[in-house]
Amino acid sequence: METSPKKLWDKCLSLIKGNVTEQQYDTWFRPIVFEKFDPKTQTLLVKVPSPFVYEYLEQNFVDLLSKVLHHYYGEKVRLTYRIVTDNEHKISQDIEADPANAVTPQPKTRANEAPSLLDQHSADLDSNLNAHLTFNNYIEGDSNKLPRSIGASIAEHPNTTQFNPLFIYGPSGCGKTHLISAIGNRTKQLYPQKRVLYISAKLFQVQFTQAVISNRTNDFIGFYQTIDMLIVDDIQEWMGKGKTLDTFFHIFNHLFKNGKRIILASDRPPVELKDMPDRLLTRFSCGLIAELENPNKQLCVDILKDLIRKNGLNIPEDVIYFIAENADGSVRDLQGVINGLLAYSITYGGEINLKLAERCIKRAVKMEDKHTLTVDDIVNSVCNHYEVSATSINSRSRKHELVVARQVSMYLVQKYTRIPTSRIGKMIGNRDHSTVIHSCTAVENLLKANHAFAEEIASIENSFKLKKA
């Protein structure tokens, strides 16, 4: 008797379950829903709850999915994801898994090998660009408006010599890689014949070392001199690498003299790149130096809302603003916090609130010492001191000992964190901001009038310092 496609999928899940941990299965595979299998095109369609789940599966379980699907559906199976992009309005999109990354055998990578003469005239040059990093999902704000605008102009008019080279610098997590990749992707979209190449400085150095070992340095240089738009990321990695810098100098000169585009990214401006020859630094500076700053609060909010929409999450406004205020203005940190909230939502199906956001921020972001205390840290210390439970503090009880513990908790949270009073009230007993203000005033007055009470508060505050130590 022929087995139905749905039952084959159930067998796939059963086999996968035996090869991953229980938590991995519950988090990433259980939410997958079988949609249909088309025997004519050998296409398997499955639905996943968000783009994040799709990307995580592609990045972390490619080999496992490939082997399991080949085993039950055959070598020609093609996997397509139906990704839910908006839960509220039931909006989804279908994306076919990349055959090179998903359910077809993966070719041996040549990324670390030095390019050869055969690569110089290859019509299908692999640009090494991340197709997901585009201008469409690069949110504009005050901190990136100028570099973004110039980058888009360069992509649309790559044959002009204005702003060549483009040197972009800024702190880690500010969006440099996204921007330079977006320039490359837009250029390839508008000018498919252009030879565009994105490469990290570290990989360039690895390739150069391989070329030297195999006595193919001329081939290596010759390949890079054929590029129409060369994009090099993290060039601060070359500081002190004399031979690599000398080789890049020759490549740079050739491209520049022939009107080819050069785009460089670094975590610091050219003037701060130590142990690099002046002749190269002057060339880095002769086009345009553009600084990318970490996003301000409003841009963080806009980025968060875009990430939330794409991941199909439902996050209250107050939580969004709390994350924006506390995530240190790094795009990577914002993504990390959203990933944490998404994983929690998928695993436990619970409400995403301020307390959960605070925990995720503490895990994802290295906060300054004076801001390392969380609401939970403070409430737990108060509970230990007064020998009450956190549940009772958050209750509606008006018992004297609980009222005191609640008021002290609100006072200390207000003193040791940057959380607004309205949010403190919601996080401690679901009170309004006026209750928090009243509690803080009551504690302050008691501190002035009651020496024993002041010593109690000092004891609780000392417990904070012990925890930090």
Side-chain angles (χ1 to χ4, degrees):
M1 184 176 178
E2 190 174 335
T3 305
S4 70
K6 173 62 170 64
K7 288 184 178 179
L8 287 177
W9 173 249
D10 291 338
K11 289 184 177 182
C12 288
L13 289 180
S14 179
L15 186 55
I16 289 170
K17 191 173 184 179
N19 286 273
V20 297
T21 66
E22 184 177 353
Q23 184 176 2
Q24 286 175 329
Y25 180 81
D26 289 340
T27 303
W28 307 112
F29 294 97
R30 191 181 295 280
I32 302 175
V33 177
F34 173 87
E35 292 282 291
K36 64 180 179 179
F37 177 74
D38 186 342
K40 291 183 180 179
T41 60
Q42 292 291 296
T43 300
L44 171 66
L45 178 65
V46 297
K47 184 169 72 175
V48 294
S50 76
F52 175 68
V53 175
Y54 152 70
E55 290 174 4
Y56 195 90
L57 289 169
E58 287 280 276
Q59 291 172 10
N60 296 277
F61 296 106
V62 166
D63 290 339
L64 179 60
L65 278 169
S66 174
K67 291 173 183 176
V68 170
L69 294 179
H70 285 159
H71 180 73
Y72 286 108
Y73 287 94
E75 293 291 326
K76 295 182 179 180
V77 63
R78 300 169 65 88
L79 177 62
T80 297
Y81 297 94
R82 176 160 290 168
I83 304 168
V84 177
T85 56
D86 189 331
N87 277 319
E88 184 180 350
H89 300 96
K90 301 187 185 313
I91 299 174
S92 64
Q93 65 176 127
D94 292 354
I95 296 181
E96 184 176 344
D98 186 349
N101 294 329
V103 294
T104 58
Q106 297 183 43
K108 182 179 178 182
T109 178
R110 297 179 60 230
N112 291 346
E113 296 180 13
S116 69
L117 283 170
L118 293 176
D119 299 311
Q120 293 189 27
H121 306 291
S122 173
D124 57 347
L125 172 71
D126 182 359
S127 294
N128 291 336
L129 289 162
N130 184 336
H132 298 292
L133 302 180
T134 67
F135 282 111
N136 291 337
N137 56 22
Y138 189 79
I139 310 300
E140 182 178 307
D142 292 338
S143 62
N144 63 25
K145 188 171 185 178
L146 177 63
R148 186 188 191 282
S149 175
I150 292 170
S153 176
I154 288 173
E156 291 166 7
H157 309 285
N159 294 325
T160 63
T161 57
Q162 190 178 25
F163 305 139
N164 194 32
L166 174 62
F167 189 104
I168 295 173
Y169 76 94
S172 177
C174 69
K176 299 187 296 296
T177 298
H178 192 149
L179 178 56
I180 61 178
S181 298
I183 296 171
N185 279 314
R186 176 71 64 83
T187 302
K188 284 298 292 182
Q189 179 187 10
L190 297 175
Y191 304 89
Q193 76 283 5
K194 291 282 185 186
R195 289 170 63 81
V196 178
L197 181 65
Y198 165 92
I199 191 164
S200 69
K202 185 172 289 186
L203 180 55
F204 180 94
Q205 188 178 350
V206 169
Q207 290 181 349
F208 171 66
T209 302
Q210 289 293 326
V212 172
I213 292 171
S214 57
N215 198 28
R216 290 194 292 115
T217 306
N218 289 337
D219 289 354
F220 174 82
I221 294 173
F223 165 78
Y224 275 98
Q225 289 178 341
T226 68
I227 303 301
D228 296 312
M229 177 180 282
L230 179 60
I231 304 169
V232 188
D233 204 356
D234 292 322
I235 65 165
Q236 73 276 358
E237 298 279 351
W238 287 342
M239 289 192 296
K241 311 295 183 183
K243 292 183 179 179
T244 301
L245 290 168
D246 286 342
T247 301
F248 185 72
F249 174 80
H250 295 299
I251 293 169
F252 184 104
N253 269 356
H254 180 88
L255 296 179
F256 187 79
K257 288 177 181 177
N258 286 277
K260 306 301 183 181
R261 274 286 169 188
I262 304 165
I263 298 170
L264 308 169
S266 171
D267 65 359
R268 66 202 75 184
V271 70
E272 294 181 16
L273 291 169
K274 299 177 181 178
D275 298 321
M276 283 197 180
D278 289 340
R279 62 177 183 170
L280 202 50
L281 293 178
T282 56
R283 283 162 174 76
F284 289 169
S285 305
C286 70
L288 177 70
I289 301 173
E291 181 181 9
L292 267 182
E293 302 172 0
N294 274 331
N296 59 21
K297 179 181 173 182
Q298 184 54 54
L299 182 53
C300 285
V301 169
D302 294 340
I303 292 171
L304 283 167
K305 288 183 175 179
D306 184 65
L307 291 171
I308 290 164
R309 178 184 59 80
K310 289 176 179 175
N311 287 293
L313 289 169
N314 181 22
I315 299 181
E317 285 281 317
D318 61 337
V319 176
I320 294 173
Y321 279 90
F322 174 78
I323 297 171
E325 287 173 352
N326 290 277
D328 284 356
S330 165
V331 178
R332 288 198 189 101
D333 287 346
L334 295 176
Q335 180 70 70
V337 174
I338 292 299
N339 289 351
L341 294 174
L342 179 59
Y344 176 91
S345 176
I346 293 170
T347 305
Y348 301 105
E351 177 190 2
I352 295 177
N353 53 30
L354 284 169
K355 282 193 175 182
L356 178 61
E358 187 182 32
R359 292 193 193 101
C360 289
I361 285 177
K362 190 176 180 182
R363 295 189 194 106
V365 180
K366 184 179 180 181
M367 303 174 78
E368 296 177 13
D369 286 345
K370 64 181 179 180
H371 300 310
T372 52
L373 286 172
T374 67
V375 172
D376 282 347
D377 292 333
I378 294 170
V379 171
N380 288 336
S381 293
V382 173
C383 288
N384 289 336
H385 180 83
Y386 289 106
E387 297 182 348
V388 297
S389 68
T391 302
S392 60
I393 282 184
N394 288 311
S395 71
R396 308 303 295 185
S397 173
R398 297 298 301 168
K399 289 182 180 180
H400 176 71
E401 65 271 21
L402 295 181
V403 171
V404 172
R406 190 180 299 126
Q407 289 181 336
V408 169
S409 296
M410 291 179 176
Y411 166 78
L412 291 173
V413 169
Q414 183 268 338
K415 180 177 179 179
Y416 284 95
T417 75
R418 294 177 291 183
I419 304 174
T421 54
S422 59
R423 295 176 197 169
I424 293 173
K426 286 187 178 181
M427 299 172 81
I428 303 177
N430 197 25
R431 266 62 169 188
D432 59 28
H433 76 284
S434 62
T435 302
V436 179
I437 294 172
H438 170 76
S439 297
C440 292
T441 302
V443 171
E444 287 169 356
N445 290 337
L446 200 54
L447 283 169
K448 296 173 184 177
N450 189 319
H451 181 70
F453 180 73
E455 287 186 343
E456 285 186 11
I457 301 303
S459 175
I460 296 171
E461 290 177 309
N462 284 334
S463 74
F464 300 160
K465 296 174 184 176
L466 289 172
K467 284 182 180 179
K468 283 198 246 184

